Amino acid sequence: MNKNNYIKLAKKSAAKQISELKKINKIFNSSFSKAVESIYNCKGKVICSGVGKSGLIGRKISATLSSVGVSSFFLNPSEANHGDLGQIDKKDILLVFSYSGNTVELSNMLKYANRYNIKVIGIASNANSILLKASDIKILIPKVQESDPTGMVPTSSTSITLLLGDCLAVALMNKIKFSKERFKVFHPGGNIGQALLLVKDIMVSGSKIPKIKITSNINEASKKITRYNLGLAVVMRNKIVEGILTDGDARRSLRYNLKPNNLRKIMNPNPVFISENSTASKALAIMNRKKITSLLVTSEKNLNSKGRNKDLKGIVHIHSILQFGIK
């Protein structure tokens, strides 16, 4: 068989699955809505379960729910039959996947759930199956044609089950008003977490900001710059930012013998500000473009105000950005 035949077969299989997946729209009914509402109102955990290929889908959906802040874990029905049923509490919800709905390993777990009044959301393609008969909320998957040569290997059936689980998670995300900020909380690591990291998450704030009065002398300023180890100090008049004085500015003032109490002549009166809600990657881009190592942080509201009368929230330094792996 030549390479072109492999591509032809792959396209045929993909076309078959794409065609069958269109049947997903039949699932979005009152039962689907009840499932979303039940998971949203769940006071315990969402316990996903399934056997074989359906079990793999259950693991994936459980992981997706956990990643958006819904307490969830996967329970293997076979292990549940040997002591793990104790993991299920009355406040929990069982979300069970089984395309046939008649998997023997599910029986004892379903009996346990029904006996102790634990809500079951069943997902299967057979309305008369053991699973759907034992479920409080029944989600009937339409029967689909598998895309393999024999028409028997789970392909289209697993795809439509996975798609249903993802749609359930997405509907729930909208219900709980899931946002990029909440995503960042549950994904602090990895490229996505880094991309969503905000300036306010890594800035120096409060008493850690090196501030000096406009009336201070160069010796006082130099000591503060050295003590705080940020390479600069913020020059203030009352609560107004007058400018910034860098370590380089201080050294140059000594070289040219400027008056020690005249900070206006040596400071930068136009420091660069950034909003506390800007991403860390944007802060790094500004630093690279302007060839500086620090930005003053203010609120979103005051960022675009005219003049320098901006509230000082903090300082974001390039070292902090690089420590988090932002590039």
Side-chain angles (χ1 to χ4, degrees):
M1 183 178 291
N2 60 43
K3 294 180 179 179
N4 288 333
N5 284 336
Y6 295 139
I7 294 172
K8 183 178 179 180
L9 289 170
K11 287 183 176 181
K12 182 179 179 181
S13 177
K16 170 62 73 175
Q17 289 204 47
I18 291 170
S19 174
E20 293 299 294
L21 285 177
K22 292 178 181 179
K23 295 178 180 178
I24 189 74
N25 290 319
K26 297 178 181 179
I27 301 173
F28 303 137
N29 50 31
S30 59
S31 292
F32 179 86
S33 298
K34 287 179 183 178
V36 175
E37 290 288 339
S38 295
I39 294 174
Y40 175 75
N41 293 314
C42 179
K43 303 300 182 184
K45 302 173 292 295
V46 179
I47 303 173
C48 297
S49 190
V51 178
K53 304 295 188 299
S54 295
L56 294 175
I57 291 168
R59 288 181 188 275
K60 190 275 178 189
I61 300 306
S62 177
T64 299
L65 292 174
S66 295
S67 73
V68 300
V70 177
S71 181
S72 177
F73 68 87
F74 176 80
L75 180 61
N76 187 308
S78 298
E79 294 177 359
N81 292 334
H82 297 280
D84 285 355
L85 285 174
Q87 296 182 65
I88 309 175
D89 187 76
K90 290 183 179 180
K91 294 181 180 179
D92 299 335
I93 286 179
L94 271 176
L95 180 59
V96 186
F97 297 85
S98 174
Y99 186 68
S100 70
N102 287 315
T103 308
V104 176
E105 290 90 340
L106 295 175
S107 297
N108 289 333
M109 187 173 67
L110 293 173
K111 288 178 182 177
Y112 178 87
N114 290 164
R115 179 181 177 184
Y116 291 101
N117 200 29
I118 297 164
K119 184 171 286 187
V120 178
I121 300 174
I123 298 172
S125 66
N126 185 348
N128 295 314
S129 62
I130 295 172
L131 172 56
L132 292 193
K133 285 181 178 180
S135 297
D136 300 285
I137 298 175
K138 313 172 196 296
I139 297 181
L140 184 65
I141 298 178
K143 293 186 181 297
V144 294
Q145 295 180 29
E146 306 292 8
S147 65
D148 72 292
T150 67
M152 298 172 63
V153 177
T155 46
S156 301
S157 58
T158 51
S159 293
I160 198 168
T161 307
L162 178 60
L163 179 57
L164 168 61
D166 283 337
C167 290
L168 193 63
V170 169
L172 188 63
M173 288 167 66
N174 281 273
K175 178 71 175 177
I176 63 178
K177 294 180 172 57
F178 191 73
S179 63
K180 289 182 179 180
E181 286 69 29
R182 291 193 66 184
F183 188 94
K184 181 190 62 180
V185 170
F186 300 113
H187 300 76
N191 291 335
I192 296 177
Q194 291 170 357
L196 296 174
L197 199 66
L198 302 181
V199 167
K200 64 183 177 183
D201 297 320
I202 59 174
M203 70 182 185
V204 171
S205 60
S207 61
K208 294 181 180 180
I209 302 174
K211 298 177 183 178
I212 54 174
K213 296 179 180 179
I214 189 66
T215 55
S216 300
N217 61 49
I218 191 63
N219 292 325
E220 292 171 335
S222 296
K223 288 179 181 178
K224 184 148 291 190
I225 291 171
T226 301
R227 189 187 319 141
Y228 284 78
N229 200 33
L230 287 175
L232 61 82
V234 184
V235 183
M236 308 287 294
R237 178 172 57 83
N238 296 325
K239 294 183 179 181
I240 298 174
V241 176
E242 290 290 314
I244 60 170
L245 183 71
T246 67
D247 186 48
D249 295 330
R251 288 198 302 270
R252 280 188 291 274
S253 72
L254 296 174
R255 184 186 308 168
Y256 296 112
N257 297 315
L258 295 174
K259 291 181 180 181
N261 62 345
N262 194 349
L263 297 184
R264 289 188 184 278
K265 289 188 176 181
I266 58 176
M267 72 180 187
N268 175 5
N270 296 301
V272 182
F273 283 85
I274 189 170
S275 166
E276 61 184 334
N277 292 318
S278 294
T279 61
S281 56
K282 180 179 179 180
L284 180 61
I286 293 173
M287 290 179 191
N288 288 333
R289 187 171 69 249
K290 293 185 175 293
K291 295 182 172 57
I292 55 180
T293 58
S294 295
L295 299 173
L296 300 190
V297 183
T298 187
S299 64
E300 189 77 37
K301 178 181 178 181
N302 288 324
L303 181 64
N304 298 318
S305 64
K306 295 180 180 180
R308 299 194 304 276
N309 191 11
K310 296 181 174 67
D311 60 326
L312 181 63
K313 296 287 187 179
I315 299 174
V316 59
H317 194 278
I318 193 169
H319 289 164
S320 299
I321 294 176
L322 296 178
Q323 282 177 355
F324 281 87
I326 305 297
K327 298 178 182 178

